[in-house]
Amino acid sequence: ITVDNCVSNCYVSGAFAGGIVGFCYSLNNSAASYIISNCTNSGVVSGKVSGGILGREDNASSSVTVSVSNCINTGSISSYGTSGAVNGAIAGGIVGFVKYSKENCVLNLLSCLNQGQVVASEQVGGILGSFYGYFDFSGSVTVQDCNNQGNIKSQAVESNGTGGIVGRIDSDNTYTTGSIFSVSLCNNYGDISGKMNVGGVIGFYEN
């Protein structure tokens, strides 16, 4: 699927909420590409998992690519998920949550800008709220040439994270050893506040 040159300026609310796309899911053995480019959201987005452009992507397939490029969010993004809930309480200025479990999967967040406030009770980031690679995940996660100008707020505790660019990157399986995680040429200008694991660029990384 390709989504290009789209604009949203409305209130969006739901379990998995995105200013442009709410939820992408890839079934078993169905390689897919999700390309979102040149899109703008200026509306308020609120959900258990929320993103200014894409709320959540989850897959049970190998060879899945998600690319979000040249997108802008100026709306306020928040998560009403309960702290400690499974797959909840996550928000990102551009993308809320991406979860990969298969081989040869790629996530690219390129040349995106967030200017809205982003608030969640757990994992929250100015560009990406949270990435989780598990089971047989291999591939790459690239966040490049992205800027955050919004304030980022969280009540994150324990192993959660709050970051100006990425809230949390979690790769918790030995099969992910060869995977590449890269955050480069990114700038954060917003204020970042949280209880634990708070960073100007990345809040928490675990491998």
Side-chain angles (χ1 to χ4, degrees):
I1 182 174
T2 298
V3 181
D4 185 50
N5 279 296
C6 293
V7 176
S8 177
N9 183 21
C10 63
Y11 177 68
V12 178
S13 178
F16 305 128
I20 301 297
V21 178
F23 186 22
C24 297
Y25 180 69
S26 302
L27 296 174
N28 286 317
N29 302 315
S30 59
S33 294
Y34 303 98
I35 310 300
I36 305 173
S37 57
N38 305 302
C39 293
T40 300
N41 174 64
S42 57
V44 173
V45 179
S46 177
K48 286 176 61 179
V49 176
S50 303
I53 302 298
L54 169 63
R56 174 176 174 176
E57 202 287 331
D58 196 348
N59 81 66
S61 304
S62 52
S63 302
V64 171
T65 296
V66 174
S67 178
V68 181
S69 62
N70 297 302
C71 291
I72 299 172
N73 174 66
T74 61
S76 176
I77 312 300
S78 64
S79 167
Y80 57 70
T82 303
S83 180
V86 176
N87 297 331
I90 302 171
I94 300 297
V95 176
F97 181 35
V98 175
K99 183 166 72 170
Y100 283 161
S101 62
K102 297 294 184 179
E103 305 89 347
N104 302 316
C105 291
V106 174
L107 171 64
N108 291 325
L109 305 181
L110 310 173
S111 302
C112 292
L113 170 65
N114 174 60
Q115 295 179 318
Q117 176 175 271
V118 187
V119 178
S121 59
E122 291 196 352
Q123 300 157 38
V124 55
I127 301 298
L128 172 63
S130 180
F131 172 84
Y132 181 36
Y134 67 113
F135 288 155
D136 296 330
F137 166 69
S138 66
S140 63
V141 176
T142 301
V143 184
Q144 182 174 305
D145 194 29
C146 292
N147 293 284
N148 174 61
Q149 297 173 351
N151 293 334
I152 311 300
K153 299 181 179 181
S154 175
Q155 298 300 311
V157 296
E158 297 180 357
S159 60
N160 295 295
T162 306
I165 302 297
V166 179
R168 176 184 174 110
I169 297 174
D170 187 352
S171 178
D172 70 352
N173 191 286
T174 55
Y175 291 106
T176 66
T177 302
S179 300
I180 298 171
F181 301 92
S182 173
V183 178
S184 64
L185 302 174
C186 294
N187 300 286
N188 172 57
Y189 302 98
D191 293 334
I192 316 299
S193 60
K195 287 187 175 181
M196 189 173 182
N197 302 322
V198 181
V201 175
I202 300 173
F204 184 86
Y205 173 79
E206 179 179 10
N207 186 7

